[in-house]
Amino acid sequence: MLAVYQNRFLETALAVNALKFGEFTLKSGRKSPYFFNAGAFADGQSLAVMAQAYAAVIKQILSEGLKVDLLFGPAYKGIPLVAAVATVLSLQEGIHLPWAFNRKEEKAHGEGGMLVGSDVRGKKVLILDDVLTAGTAVRASLQLLTAQGAEPIALVVALDRQEKIGDSDLSALEHIRQERNLHTRAIVGLSDLLRFVQDKEEYCSCLADLEAYRQAYGA
């Protein structure tokens, strides 16, 4: 059974067309029966739902004893996300975490630098991202944070596609977990999406395609 925050997240994703069913060509070249775009959470209400879902996962991580000093949102989608999640954690959970994000290009005037927000030096950092496909963007964030003196320790994504990358039998999330020794979590994975669709009569027609995709590419 899905948690309340997972159901709300998926219901809202469908309502704002962040989650779509059909045929979509991914960056990898694979034909996927579904597509997720966190950028479609583009109003206050839907962004709040997504932020609350991230906050629920982060609260679980903290309750398990992992120490987190700072939240980081990679540009561009991660910028409003990290601010919203930090706000929800503070107002609803009493968890007060500073946050930062990066610029795409280093600023040479004013305060300068690649990062905006709280100082990351010496901080244990949790990275927020939307979907991990090959992990290229996350690796860039890890490199940037390490170069700035931070210690990246965790990664939370909205959707784990739970599919093999390249010739590996591991998913992108599992691969980055092992490669970089990160704590990794997702709000939902493909297995959760399948359970969600099974209970929705209007989307049952998508179920066979989703199952076939998991059989072909599932990690």
Side-chain angles (χ1 to χ4, degrees):
M1 180 181 294
L2 298 184
V4 172
Y5 73 85
Q6 292 176 309
N7 270 307
R8 287 190 69 218
F9 172 74
L10 287 172
E11 291 278 11
T12 304
L14 286 169
V16 299
N17 287 320
L19 176 62
K20 298 179 181 180
F21 298 109
E23 183 177 295
F24 306 91
T25 302
L26 305 180
K27 190 182 294 186
S28 64
R30 291 174 181 171
K31 301 289 186 182
S32 172
Y34 73 102
F35 185 75
F36 178 78
N37 171 28
F41 287 81
D43 62 78
Q45 183 177 16
S46 61
L47 180 60
V49 170
M50 182 163 62
Q52 287 163 356
Y54 273 100
V57 175
I58 293 169
K59 185 180 178 182
Q60 290 173 3
I61 292 173
L62 296 176
S63 71
E64 293 165 7
L66 186 67
K67 186 180 187 308
V68 173
D69 299 319
L70 182 139
L71 303 177
F72 178 77
Y76 289 108
K77 289 181 183 177
I79 296 174
L81 179 60
V82 72
V85 172
T87 301
V88 167
L89 282 170
S90 180
L91 293 178
Q92 297 187 3
E93 306 295 343
I95 299 170
H96 310 298
L97 289 173
W99 53 275
F101 61 88
N102 66 296
R103 297 184 173 97
K104 285 289 188 179
E105 297 180 358
E106 186 167 5
K107 186 177 179 182
H109 60 280
E111 75 278 13
M114 285 293 295
L115 298 180
V116 179
S118 185
D119 189 356
V120 304
R121 287 175 294 181
K123 303 292 179 58
K124 296 181 183 296
V125 179
L126 185 151
I127 301 168
L128 304 177
D129 210 345
D130 53 355
V131 181
L132 198 66
T133 305
T136 305
V138 167
R139 287 183 178 86
S141 293
L142 292 170
Q143 183 177 359
L144 173 62
L145 288 167
T146 301
Q148 296 289 330
E151 182 186 353
I153 60 166
L155 168 68
V156 177
V157 299
L159 174 68
D160 179 8
R161 293 185 63 91
Q162 295 180 306
E163 59 187 72
K164 295 178 286 191
I165 55 168
D167 298 327
S168 171
D169 287 329
L170 300 176
S171 70
L173 202 61
E174 180 65 29
H175 192 273
I176 203 82
R177 176 191 300 135
Q178 294 189 13
E179 177 188 333
R180 298 302 180 102
N181 193 30
L182 291 176
H183 296 264
T184 59
R185 297 286 176 86
I187 295 172
V188 293
L190 177 57
S191 56
D192 299 311
L193 181 57
L194 283 163
R195 283 194 289 271
F196 178 80
V197 168
Q198 286 170 353
D199 296 332
K200 304 291 180 183
E201 185 176 343
E202 63 270 37
Y203 297 111
C204 280
S205 59
C206 309
L207 193 56
D209 290 338
L210 289 169
E211 287 282 10
Y213 190 79
R214 181 166 68 168
Q215 288 297 318
Y217 300 116

